[in-house]
Amino acid sequence: MFVRSFILLLLMVTASYFSHISEAFSGKFNASSEYEEVFMPVMDAASVIIDDDDVPPVEPNLLKAKFLKYPPLSGIGERVDRLVYGIKTDIKPELDHYGYEIRRYMSHVGNIQIYNDNEFLLRQIVNVRKAGVIAEYWKKHLDKEISEIEKIIEENTSIELRIRTSFKQNRFTAQTFMIILGSWIDANKRLLESIKKNPDIYKVEYPEIEISIPSKRVNFFNLYSKRQAKLKDIRRYTPFAMMVY
């Protein structure tokens, strides 16, 4: 009786473990719960409050990766699955040719140095532009893959319904993600370029950014709010849940 109960308990624990691993690999595991919520700015008489405490967010430390080639495809099913690699499915940096580099370039774009260090600000503008170029290449790659897979599925009536359904879902996920990714990068770029135009009007008393010109303060608040809204959107995708700007 004891042995039977022990075996049953062991099977339950094992099933739970592999279920968790499977969810994490498939991108269903919600990693964003491990990170702080995105704070929406508040504007007062002389400043914009950008955080709910006086400690700046912890930026991800993303080192340059040595990228590897993907292993050969095992079939059309795996090709369909790869459409959401780095989007819904979290993968190793060495294989995440586009997403990892984008996150690396975007990891410091909102650091408070942008308000008092012009050289640092210019470097972040360059970084966000590089991220934009990589996003364009990623989109072209996905568009090409989607077009080729569509042709294969249309010409081959023997492909399983499961794969056809998965393709429709992954195509929608990938195309939606690319729109959100572009909007997030663009929102950061617009904020940085606005700061560049008026570098001497900001005074940082974290979490408050004092802005001496009322009209510029309103403009900053609007741009910052949009950036935060787009950050919320991109963080819904597990590989990007770590981003803080």
Side-chain angles (χ1 to χ4, degrees), residues 125 128-129 184-194:
I125 290 174
V128 81
R129 287 175 179 171
W184 171 58
I185 292 172
D186 185 65
N188 272 281
K189 183 176 73 171
R190 288 175 181 271
L191 178 62
L192 291 172
E193 290 178 343
S194 176

Side-chain angles (χ1 to χ4, degrees), residues 106-166:
M106 297 292 288
S107 59
H108 308 298
V109 294
N111 188 287
I112 56 173
Q113 278 185 262
I114 61 176
Y115 303 104
N116 51 37
D117 184 337
N118 191 58
E119 186 177 333
F120 181 84
L121 171 62
L122 294 176
R123 193 156 63 245
Q124 298 316 310
I125 290 174
V126 170
N127 285 344
V128 81
R129 287 175 179 171
K130 287 180 179 178
V133 170
I134 296 169
E136 289 176 7
Y137 277 104
W138 196 357
K139 184 179 184 302
K140 288 178 182 178
H141 167 74
L142 286 173
D143 287 345
K144 183 173 181 289
E145 278 295 288
I146 288 170
S147 178
E148 291 180 2
I149 293 171
E150 280 178 338
K151 187 176 180 182
I152 292 171
I153 289 177
E154 286 172 2
E155 293 176 352
N156 193 337
T157 56
S158 66
I159 292 176
E160 300 174 50
L161 177 61
R162 174 185 60 82
I163 293 176
R164 293 173 181 272
T165 301
S166 181

Side-chain angles (χ1 to χ4, degrees), residues 81-96:
D81 290 342
R82 287 188 185 184
L83 288 176
V84 292
Y85 277 17
I87 299 174
K88 187 176 77 172
T89 304
D90 205 356
I91 55 177
K92 293 180 180 180
E94 294 84 1
L95 295 174
D96 194 0

